[in-house]
Amino acid sequence: MLVGFPGQTIVPFARFITTKKIIFDAFSSHYGGYIEDRGYHSKHSLMALNYWLWDWLAVIMVDKVLLDTNEHIN
């Protein structure tokens, strides 16, 4: 199953409904976009932790993660 962007919140549901391998296209991170780039919340806020956890869960719950640049990989 392929989960596209923005799929961080969909990955747990995908894992629940399928036994097949899941590929996640992580075009950008919620934490990077909402906290680092746009500065919507402090880096030490609960919302920052929330976005970080969604990114982390999406990565650990899938079989493969697609990334597009070396900077994104870092």
Side-chain angles (χ1 to χ4, degrees), residues 34-74:
Y34 294 119
I35 304 303
E36 292 178 343
D37 294 344
R38 296 183 186 111
Y40 286 166
H41 306 281
S42 161
K43 290 184 178 186
H44 304 290
S45 68
L46 288 177
M47 285 305 293
L49 177 62
N50 175 52
Y51 290 130
W52 185 87
L53 285 172
W54 278 115
D55 289 340
W56 180 73
L57 280 174
V59 170
I60 66 163
M61 295 183 83
V62 298
D63 299 294
K64 296 261 185 201
V65 178
L66 301 178
L67 300 167
D68 59 344
T69 67
N70 287 332
E71 184 62 28
H72 194 186
I73 292 167
N74 292 333

Side-chain angles (χ1 to χ4, degrees), residues 1 14-15 18-22 63:
M1 173 182 283
R15 177 56 63 200
T18 188
T19 57
K20 297 183 184 289
K21 291 188 183 253
I22 299 174
D63 299 294

